[in-house]
Amino acid sequence: MIEVPSGTAFLTEARRSFHAALIANGALATSDTGVPSIADGSSASSVAFASGIMEQVAKEAVGARLAGQMAGNKFEIVVGEYLEETLPKLKHIRPGKFQVAKGGTRLAIAACEQYFHLSSLAEAVSTNADLAVAIGMDYLIKPDVMVLRHPEPDENINASELVVDDQHASLTGIRSANSSLPLLHASVSCKWTMRSDRAQNARSEALNLVRNRKGRLPHIVVVTGEPTPGRLASLALGTGDIDCVYHIALNELREAVAATKYTDSAELLDMMIEGRRLRDIADLPLDLAT
């Protein structure tokens, strides 16, 4: 559990703890040659931006109490545990029983209400080569982190008055009387850094989530530590697939870029932020509460 000092907002401390976890497990580090782990060592601008982020984040994280649950050794584990810590704090604005889970296998989403039909499709494809060739494998999607919402018992739905009975509303997945499968509330893709070609993988997965669902579309977001605005733009610009891209240290990135001579990168970064396509990791729990 994150311990919050008096007078400090919970999300501010959670953000510090998130950065402390990345530093403690070595994911966010600087090499002996001075190249931060989020930088492309062959790019002077990438190293400059990443170094600016590291300098600020390292100062910010000093003294932060590392939540025990954030001790994972992979980026997606730290992101998942950050959400496990923060989402329960927002249950007053987003009630419901939520669970954060790792993506697991490429058919993990088939355990969710909107994508349950994919398990039947996978079974059919596995026994029919012609069908496998015709359909391909695009329906197989493995989110790094999933946020699940469990169905509500009628007792909760009828808590203040009789809203549902045995006569109607027998098909909706939010009633546990109709289905025991959780709803996929959010799919979180974790990209520590990105090249433009890898960014397209996240777009393809997002489009497959859109096309293959039966029911409500989950939140589809990407979390990254990429320091180069040009590479962030390869994923953040455009609409229709990903809700938004979240940076692990957006405020620090903005300051780091502004402190360099790369004015075109600063303008591109501002455009993505003002265009509501790029946000900070502290914004993510609140956006998932919508």
Side-chain angles (χ1 to χ4, degrees):
M1 179 178 293
I2 296 172
E3 296 183 23
V4 183
S6 177
T8 301
F10 173 78
L11 281 178
T12 297
E13 190 60 24
R15 188 179 188 273
R16 290 181 68 210
S17 187
F18 174 75
H19 290 159
L22 293 175
I23 292 171
N25 68 19
L28 198 55
T30 300
S31 71
D32 295 338
T33 56
V35 178
S37 54
I38 52 175
D40 178 350
S42 64
S43 166
S45 60
S46 177
V47 173
F49 302 153
S51 297
I53 291 173
M54 284 296 301
E55 183 178 348
Q56 297 172 75
V57 168
K59 287 179 182 176
E60 176 207 62
V62 170
R65 290 177 178 270
L66 180 64
Q69 292 85 349
M70 286 190 181
N73 59 3
K74 292 184 179 179
F75 182 43
E76 57 266 32
I77 293 176
V78 177
V79 170
E81 289 167 352
Y82 170 76
L83 292 175
E84 279 187 335
E85 292 280 344
T86 54
L87 288 177
K89 288 288 183 182
L90 302 172
K91 61 183 178 184
H92 57 295
I93 61 173
R94 182 67 176 187
K97 184 180 178 183
F98 290 88
Q99 175 190 355
V100 178
K102 198 173 182 308
T105 68
R106 293 185 68 82
L107 267 176
I109 63 170
C112 301
E113 171 73 16
Q114 304 103 306
Y115 299 97
F116 181 65
H117 59 285
L118 295 183
S119 58
S120 300
L121 182 60
E123 184 177 351
V125 166
S126 67
T127 57
N128 188 316
D130 290 335
L131 190 60
V133 170
I135 293 179
M137 305 293 281
D138 286 346
Y139 63 92
L140 295 174
I141 306 155
K142 179 181 173 298
D144 293 317
V145 177
M146 302 189 299
V147 179
L148 309 174
R149 179 172 185 178
H150 290 276
E152 297 286 344
D154 285 359
E155 291 77 12
N156 291 355
I157 300 172
N158 292 329
S160 58
E161 61 179 309
L162 186 62
V163 177
V164 295
D165 57 23
D166 293 335
Q167 297 185 54
H168 300 291
S170 59
L171 300 177
T172 175
I174 195 62
R175 290 181 70 184
S176 60
N178 299 336
S179 172
S180 61
L181 297 174
L183 295 158
L184 182 61
H185 179 74
S187 168
V188 182
S189 179
C190 301
K191 304 290 185 190
W192 182 236
T193 58
M194 63 177 69
R195 301 187 304 269
S196 57
D197 57 335
R198 287 177 60 196
Q200 300 317 307
N201 292 342
R203 284 191 186 281
S204 297
E205 288 185 0
L207 287 173
N208 286 331
L209 283 168
V210 173
R211 292 169 179 158
N212 287 298
R213 79 189 193 280
K214 290 185 177 180
R216 181 187 180 281
L217 182 65
H219 291 279
I220 303 173
V221 303
V222 176
V223 179
T224 183
E226 172 61 47
T228 310
R231 292 183 180 177
L232 288 169
S234 69
L235 191 55
L237 294 185
T239 58
D241 39 32
I242 294 164
D243 294 5
C244 193
V245 176
Y246 294 83
H247 198 274
I248 63 169
L250 184 59
N251 298 341
E252 291 82 355
L253 173 60
R254 206 169 190 178
E255 284 195 30
V257 174
T260 67
K261 61 183 180 181
Y262 301 102
T263 55
D264 53 341
S265 292
E267 291 172 1
L268 180 58
L269 188 60
D270 287 342
M271 181 178 73
M272 289 185 283
I273 295 170
E274 292 164 10
R276 297 180 296 166
R277 299 296 297 152
L278 181 62
R279 296 179 182 173
D280 184 75
I281 189 69
D283 296 306
L284 179 57
L286 289 160
D287 285 348
L288 295 186
T290 59

